[in-house]
Amino acid sequence: MAQISVRNVTKVYKGGVKAVDDVNLGIENKEFMVLVGPSGCGKSTTLRMIAGLEEITDGKIWIADRLVNDVPAKDRDIAMVFQNYALYPHMTVFENMSFGLRLRRYPKHEIVRRVQEATEILGIKPLLERRPRQLSGGERQRVALGRAIVRKPQAFLFDEPLSNLDAKLRVQMRTEIHKLRLRLQTTFVYVTHDQTEAMTLGDRIAVMKDGKVQQCADPITIYDKPANKFVASFIGSPPINLMQGRIIKKERKYYFEEGKLQVKLVEDMYKVMGPYEGKEIIFGIRAEDIYDKLFVSEASADNTIRAACEVVEPLGSEVYLYLNSGRHTFIARVGAHNRPEVNRDMDLVFDMSKVHFFDRETEKTII
């Protein structure tokens, strides 16, 4: 069990390509930290530098109060689980799981004990004599987890471990990893491009873009209070609805206006948004904060717009509506009972207490 501290870490490849740019992360003992972002954002490179598989260009990494910049990967007392499982095809499950312990010359009885303990945790005891080619994707992933568990490291590092699994298995393995974390009570650092994995697994999430950490916070804060436009648009499914317009003032009230679309800000926002009067800003509203007026008991003309419903996507417990107001398109996520006719106009109500505003130049959050 260990704290991990990443301090001003930068990675520059030959040719001047900066993969990681001055990243700072403090990962607490027993914490589950998720690094999430699009392909090429530097999350896997950051993980590999923690593991010792990539050299650091600048900065320092500490694991359990030990500076590990010059410590080889094998001596950092961490275990890494890869995307491709990295199992030896000619070895049985038992041999794969015990390989690292055998290299370190553990006593045979201790190797057997640790492997049996790990297989019981993961439910793969009947598979010990099989080879990787005889296993399903989910079983191979469990074996890869088991190989990490038997070492009893200070920290586990996961590099997109579920990306090769189908949708159903990913959900199942997410649950297994969550149970594993609760049982092992150690530090986890987990890399993924899947926001669902990030939101459901992480105690905290570090959202990365272009080698930089855009925001690091708990999942609810990341979702409800994104630091900038990128975080708001990357986290959330379907993506947040965004449009560019300006703040205007009429009769002591503030409105967001873009063309014919005009919605009134709630009074709590006046103090913050007042200085932006007449200025261009970016407006954001999530799909679940847009409602069909037919199902809203208290709707005002100040927060209602007219739009045509172009597509209805029923998803069982909820429905996605793809809407067009002439100059703008929106996605609304509504209850399963709500299925308006396609190509018909409808009134939409915006929950203005939940909207987000971003500075047009910096793209940082205003509210």
Side-chain angles (χ1 to χ4, degrees):
M1 297 182 287
Q3 292 177 319
I4 298 173
S5 179
V6 179
R7 301 179 188 174
N8 306 110
V9 167
T10 296
K11 174 66 179 180
V12 182
Y13 288 107
K14 289 181 180 179
V17 178
K18 189 174 283 188
V20 175
D21 186 4
D22 195 29
V23 164
N24 286 278
L25 288 171
I27 303 166
E28 298 298 326
N29 186 32
K30 300 184 182 180
E31 184 177 27
F32 199 123
M33 172 68 80
V34 179
L35 310 183
V36 66
S39 297
C41 71
K43 56 189 186 296
S44 289
T45 304
T46 301
L47 191 78
R48 290 173 64 82
M49 287 191 288
I50 294 172
L53 302 177
E54 291 275 2
E55 289 187 3
I56 300 169
T57 304
D58 195 15
K60 295 179 180 180
I61 294 178
W62 299 75
I63 299 177
D65 299 322
R66 180 171 67 143
L67 182 64
V68 296
N69 284 33
D70 299 319
V71 176
K74 64 183 180 65
D75 298 326
R76 294 194 181 192
D77 195 17
I78 52 90
M80 190 157 176
V81 179
F82 297 93
Q83 177 180 347
N84 61 359
Y85 318 133
L87 301 177
Y88 295 105
H90 62 286
M91 293 184 183
T92 64
V93 168
F94 178 87
E95 290 167 340
N96 265 286
M97 291 178 64
S98 62
F99 183 72
L101 300 180
R102 286 185 280 124
L103 281 181
R104 290 169 175 79
R105 301 186 182 280
Y106 275 74
K108 187 174 180 180
H109 71 275
E110 177 66 9
I111 292 174
V112 171
R113 186 187 68 78
R114 289 197 182 194
V115 171
Q116 286 180 342
E117 186 179 80
T119 55
E120 287 172 5
I121 291 172
L122 296 166
I124 55 173
K125 202 167 185 178
L127 308 179
L128 283 174
E129 298 306 316
R130 296 187 189 178
R131 286 180 165 75
R133 66 176 180 273
Q134 298 171 300
L135 305 176
S136 68
E139 289 169 340
R140 291 178 193 176
Q141 188 60 76
R142 283 188 172 88
V143 174
L145 287 171
R147 185 176 54 191
I149 291 169
V150 296
R151 290 179 52 194
K152 297 187 176 179
Q154 292 188 96
F156 290 93
L157 310 182
F158 292 81
D159 190 6
E160 305 209 37
L162 309 185
S163 59
N164 288 337
L165 304 180
D166 61 45
K168 186 177 180 180
L169 263 179
R170 280 203 301 273
V171 173
Q172 184 180 342
M173 286 304 299
R174 276 207 314 267
T175 305
E176 294 300 323
I177 289 173
H178 187 69
K179 289 179 181 176
L180 183 64
R181 177 273 177 98
L182 294 175
R183 184 159 182 175
L184 296 180
Q185 288 292 300
T186 189
T187 307
F188 282 67
V189 187
Y190 189 102
V191 161
T192 181
H193 63 273
D194 187 324
Q195 56 163 301
T196 303
E197 286 180 29
M199 293 290 286
T200 54
L201 288 173
D203 293 325
R204 284 192 297 152
I205 301 171
V207 183
M208 296 187 67
K209 178 192 178 190
D210 299 333
K212 291 179 176 289
V213 174
Q214 303 294 308
Q215 186 175 5
C216 184
D218 64 273
I220 299 303
T221 299
I222 291 279
Y223 190 80
D224 288 341
K225 299 177 181 179
N228 55 41
K229 176 187 165 187
F230 173 78
V231 175
S233 58
F234 188 81
I235 299 294
S237 181
I240 191 171
N241 299 289
L242 295 169
M243 73 182 86
Q244 189 170 302
R246 63 194 181 102
I247 299 297
I248 64 169
K249 187 177 182 181
K250 293 194 309 184
E251 299 175 355
R252 298 183 180 180
K253 297 176 182 178
Y254 286 96
Y255 294 80
F256 170 79
E257 180 184 71
E258 205 297 306
K260 293 182 180 179
L261 186 147
Q262 193 177 98
V263 284
K264 186 175 75 71
L265 278 58
V266 297
E267 290 187 16
D268 289 348
M269 298 179 180
Y270 287 3
K271 186 175 181 180
V272 178
M273 297 307 299
Y276 284 85
E277 182 183 347
K279 295 181 180 179
E280 293 280 324
I281 55 109
I282 299 168
F283 171 93
I285 184 166
R286 294 201 181 275
E288 64 269 25
D289 299 322
I290 301 176
Y291 306 95
D292 184 341
K293 187 178 179 182
L294 292 174
F295 298 92
V296 179
S297 58
E298 295 181 9
S300 165
D302 286 332
N303 64 348
T304 303
I305 70 164
R306 191 83 170 161
C309 181
E310 296 184 326
V311 177
V312 177
E313 282 187 351
L315 298 173
S317 62
E318 59 190 12
V319 176
Y320 286 4
L321 307 180
Y322 292 79
L323 306 144
N324 190 320
S325 65
R327 293 175 52 149
H328 309 287
T329 57
F330 303 95
I331 303 176
R333 187 168 69 196
V334 297
H337 59 278
N338 193 342
R339 298 192 189 184
E341 286 187 51
V342 174
N343 296 326
R344 290 289 183 91
D345 285 353
M346 59 186 296
D347 289 321
L348 301 172
V349 177
F350 285 7
D351 184 346
M352 293 301 293
S353 66
K354 301 285 185 67
V355 298
H356 302 269
F357 292 104
F358 307 96
D359 186 282
R360 190 174 68 88
E361 299 299 327
T362 66
E363 297 190 349
K364 290 183 179 179
T365 297
I366 302 168
I367 294 181

